[in-house]
Amino acid sequence: MSVRELVILGTAAQVPTRERNHNGYLLRWDNDGFLFDPGEGTQRQMQFADVAASTIHHIALTHFHGDHCLGVPGVIQRLNLDKVTHPIHAHYPASGEPFFDALCRASLYQNTLRLTKHPISATGYTYESRTFHLMAESLDHRTECYGYRVQELPSRTICMEKLDALGIHGPDIGKLKRQGFLQIDDRQIFLESVSYERPTQSFAIVMDTRPCEGAQKLAQNVDVLLCEATYTHEDIKLAHEYMHMTAVQAAELARDAKAKKLVLTHFSQRYRHYGEHLQEARAIFPNTILARDGDRIAFPTRQRQV
């Protein structure tokens, strides 16, 4: 059975606190795992969250500030220690290539990992899989920074009742799926007439940015939007100066993009409590939750469309 959930490993910006670790987000997406922005301490957070290193297939960095990447050395070495045999794909801004290489070589270890690097040099980047696309859009930060979107590709589900009514069984079902139609005597049965399109799902992560066009593209109609909310509204001038977002701006992004669920994260250590972040956001976008280290956020159940 496929699993889709977002595991929150860390939620603190810049400096970890006693309650919040540096950034770290694991998206479990069917048979693939996406580790986004592993900050310092991510490997330990994975232990607390009961997440095995073998869950990871993709490492995606939005940018190379330390709270978003200093966990890479431990994660890479753990993947080697656990003798993970499947390929690992790394996605990151191309301008940070020297930093990524340095992170991967931070200390001595036996390297057996099949690591494929995918440096991103322009907005609109897409990594294509058979079942999903990983897309990146440029954000507005002090250094080259990209947000990501995981988008499921359209697919169809066979309606067995319709097949039974037409007398289609066994190997003919596979043939119908492969070629899109089936010849029965003088009739052609097309896949579209005996199946329905499954609603697709999507996830977006928007980190370290002012409100911008790239963030809007990533968030459009997304099922789960994970967005930074570094500041509350009273500190909007600081947010603009340091090129971050407030909880209000994150909620406005979710509302304008018609997202289904908003998850706030990346909180400044200047705040002792984060209830105000949640209150401000929910006044604009009610389906908002506050991410906490260790949270597991499930994707909504898809409604069958016939």
Side-chain angles (χ1 to χ4, degrees):
M1 183 177 180
S2 63
V3 175
R4 291 186 181 176
E5 67 173 357
L6 176 64
V7 183
I8 307 295
L9 302 174
T11 56
Q14 295 181 312
V15 177
T17 70
R18 292 181 180 180
E19 295 81 23
R20 296 181 181 273
N21 197 71
H22 266 165
N23 288 283
Y25 313 96
L26 180 78
L27 175 67
R28 297 180 66 196
W29 189 271
D30 300 338
N31 296 320
D32 286 273
F34 298 84
L35 180 61
F36 292 99
D37 282 6
E40 184 180 354
T42 291
Q43 185 182 181
R44 189 165 185 261
Q45 294 297 97
M46 288 168 60
Q47 292 291 103
F48 286 130
D50 196 23
V51 171
S54 59
T55 307
I56 300 169
H57 296 79
H58 297 264
I59 298 173
L61 307 180
T62 58
H63 63 297
F64 281 93
H65 284 154
D67 54 330
H68 295 261
C69 69
L70 284 177
V72 169
V75 170
I76 291 292
Q77 293 184 35
R78 180 60 181 272
L79 289 166
N80 279 278
L81 181 66
D82 288 358
K83 296 181 171 56
V84 169
T85 58
H86 59 251
I88 303 296
H89 297 272
H91 314 266
Y92 51 86
S95 62
E97 181 97 40
F99 300 113
F100 185 78
D101 289 343
L103 290 167
C104 290
R105 299 170 182 167
S107 66
L108 293 172
Y109 64 98
Q110 185 177 4
N111 186 12
T112 60
L113 198 63
R114 289 189 291 158
L115 178 67
T116 302
K117 298 189 293 184
H118 303 273
I120 304 168
S121 56
T123 193
Y125 163 86
T126 302
Y127 169 87
E128 299 184 358
S129 159
R130 289 189 305 105
T131 58
F132 67 84
H133 284 172
L134 176 67
M135 297 169 283
E137 294 287 342
S138 181
L139 300 177
D140 184 17
H141 197 43
R142 289 174 290 164
T143 186
E144 187 180 21
C145 184
Y146 294 95
Y148 294 95
R149 178 182 177 118
V150 178
Q151 178 66 56
E152 181 180 15
L153 298 184
S155 62
R156 304 191 71 85
T157 298
I158 294 288
C159 181
M160 297 307 297
E161 294 87 350
K162 293 183 179 181
L163 292 186
D164 289 340
L166 292 167
I168 300 174
H169 304 286
D172 282 344
I173 298 176
K175 188 176 181 181
L176 174 63
K177 290 180 178 180
R178 287 192 302 273
Q179 62 186 25
F181 71 94
L182 190 66
Q183 188 76 35
I184 301 179
D185 299 327
D186 60 344
R187 291 187 303 159
Q188 276 192 335
I189 308 300
F190 290 94
L191 180 62
E192 289 79 5
S193 66
V194 293
S195 65
Y196 59 89
E197 188 169 335
R198 301 175 73 222
T200 60
Q201 290 188 322
S202 53
F203 164 83
I205 176 172
V206 174
M207 287 286 160
D208 287 36
T209 183
R210 293 170 178 163
C212 64
E213 181 182 356
Q216 279 287 338
K217 288 181 178 178
L218 292 166
Q220 201 66 36
N221 299 311
V222 77
D223 287 276
V224 178
L225 170 61
L226 177 67
C227 188
E228 72 133 303
T230 309
Y231 298 100
T232 59
H233 185 66
E234 69 175 359
D235 291 320
I236 192 168
K237 290 183 179 179
L238 282 177
H240 183 78
E241 179 182 354
Y242 292 108
M243 307 184 81
H244 282 287
M245 291 173 66
T246 66
V248 166
Q249 290 172 324
E252 289 171 342
L253 170 63
R255 179 199 63 195
D256 296 345
K258 295 181 171 58
K260 294 182 178 66
K261 178 183 288 187
L262 172 64
V263 182
L264 301 180
T265 189
H266 194 271
F267 306 111
S268 170
Q269 72 275 11
R270 70 189 292 116
Y271 307 101
R272 294 189 61 190
H273 305 287
Y274 304 95
E276 191 172 346
H277 289 74
L278 187 60
Q279 183 178 358
E280 289 182 353
R282 281 185 172 171
I284 297 166
F285 189 80
N287 194 16
T288 299
I289 62 176
L290 198 73
R292 293 178 172 83
D293 292 22
D295 281 354
R296 306 180 92 93
I297 300 166
F299 275 69
T301 302
R302 285 185 282 200
Q303 300 298 314
R304 173 172 166 167
Q305 297 178 353
V306 181

